Amino acid sequence: DAMVIQNPRYQVTQFGKPVTLSCSQTLNHNVMYWYQQKSSQAPKLLFHYYDKDFNNEADTPDNFQSRRPNTSFCFLDIRSPGLGDAAMYLCATSTRQSSYNEQFFGPGTRLTVL
Amino acid sequence: AQSVSQHNHHVILSEAASLELGCNYSYGGTVNLFWYVQYPGQHLQLLLKYFSGDPLVKGIKGFEAEFIKSKFSFNLRKPSVQWSDTAEYFCAVRPSTGTYKYIFGTGTRLKVLA
């Protein structure tokens, strides 16, 4: 089945220790998104790619970076995680062809910062 | 600024009760509307969507939603809930043009008592 895969599902890191979360998709979608979701809050868009074009949200901290080496893969790098970065990180994809196409989500990576 | 409001944060119902979850959005242009569901331990998945035509749309598992343009609303309904509907429900909006971004509400956590 075509899908969005996130690894790892659970990540524990120490305060200030860099961490990388990965996302892959078999849907061949042009657009990939990273969201941060904290308990009882809406998913917060961090950035998205349209193909290789990177779009950063104005309020995404510089601590968060992303890479998309090819259509299938996208990475979220947190350079110096703080306690406030503990959250669920969601990867999603969509096609650019039409705005009525929905997003497809991965299962998320739950990040714990000690 | 664009926003999506879900007024019910927690809803508890008994099986067979009727459900209506509110969703209102703030955006001046044409939008496409989505409801996503997240079952415990699972990823976000599409329940239904609206982009044009009949404002009453039907989705999976007996859910439906009605788009009322004059009220900027897209409320989710189900006539008779089941225990298996226990989940978190998110309303999302995507402007029809000019962006690949989806705007999410804060979610409604539904618990159905057997």
Side-chain angles (χ1 to χ4, degrees):
Chain A
D1 283 344
M3 57 177 58
V4 181
I5 302 162
Q6 290 188 246
N7 284 303
R9 294 290 306 276
Y10 300 90
Q11 176 73 58
V12 180
T13 191
Q14 292 180 328
F15 184 95
K17 187 173 180 182
V19 67
T20 295
L21 310 182
S22 75
C23 176
S24 64
Q25 54 128 341
T26 60
L27 298 159
N28 204 34
H29 283 172
N30 306 90
V31 194
M32 292 186 78
Y33 308 79
W34 279 106
Y35 289 90
Q36 180 192 65
Q37 187 182 23
K38 296 188 177 181
S39 183
S40 301
Q41 295 183 22
K44 178 182 181 296
L45 183 64
L46 296 174
F47 18 65
H48 71 280
Y49 281 90
Y50 163 47
D51 289 333
K52 288 207 167 219
D53 291 338
F54 175 71
N55 298 270
N56 198 29
E57 292 301 295
D59 58 353
T60 298
D62 292 340
N63 198 24
F64 290 83
Q65 303 287 318
S66 184
R67 298 169 280 137
R68 189 179 185 186
N70 54 53
T71 300
S72 301
F73 285 88
C74 196
F75 300 96
L76 170 62
D77 300 308
I78 308 176
R79 294 193 297 189
S80 181
L83 298 178
D85 297 327
M88 178 73 86
Y89 290 87
L90 302 174
C91 175
T93 72
S94 75
T95 64
R96 70 176 179 90
Q97 275 77 8
S98 174
S99 63
Y100 58 76
N101 287 326
E102 68 271 24
Q103 288 181 303
F104 290 79
F105 284 86
T109 294
R110 183 165 294 283
L111 178 68
T112 300
V113 182
L114 302 178
Chain B
Q2 303 160 10
S3 65
V4 176
S5 299
Q6 291 182 244
H7 307 294
N8 316 101
H9 297 295
H10 291 90
V11 173
I12 301 175
L13 294 172
S14 298
E15 275 195 314
S18 64
L19 170 72
E20 181 159 2
L21 302 181
C23 173
N24 287 89
Y25 66 93
S26 170
Y27 182 73
T30 305
V31 296
N32 298 310
L33 299 145
F34 306 83
W35 274 98
Y36 287 87
V37 61
Q38 189 169 28
Y39 297 105
Q42 297 189 26
H43 60 278
L44 277 158
Q45 53 191 290
L46 183 73
L47 205 51
L48 48 78
K49 62 183 178 183
Y50 170 83
F51 54 93
S52 68
D54 188 344
L56 184 64
V57 292
K58 295 192 185 298
I60 60 172
K61 303 187 181 186
F63 286 90
E64 64 180 31
E66 185 175 13
F67 172 49
I68 303 179
K69 190 174 180 180
S70 60
K71 294 185 178 180
F72 297 90
S73 71
F74 190 55
N75 292 354
L76 181 71
R77 299 195 292 248
K78 184 170 184 178
S80 176
V81 295
Q82 300 173 308
W83 177 80
S84 58
D85 294 323
T86 295
E88 191 152 18
Y89 294 81
F90 292 91
C91 181
V93 164
R94 176 175 166 178
S96 298
T97 58
T99 182
Y100 298 108
K101 297 199 281 190
Y102 298 72
I103 306 152
F104 280 82
T106 51
T108 297
R109 193 158 289 190
L110 171 67
K111 183 168 184 173
V112 180
L113 305 175

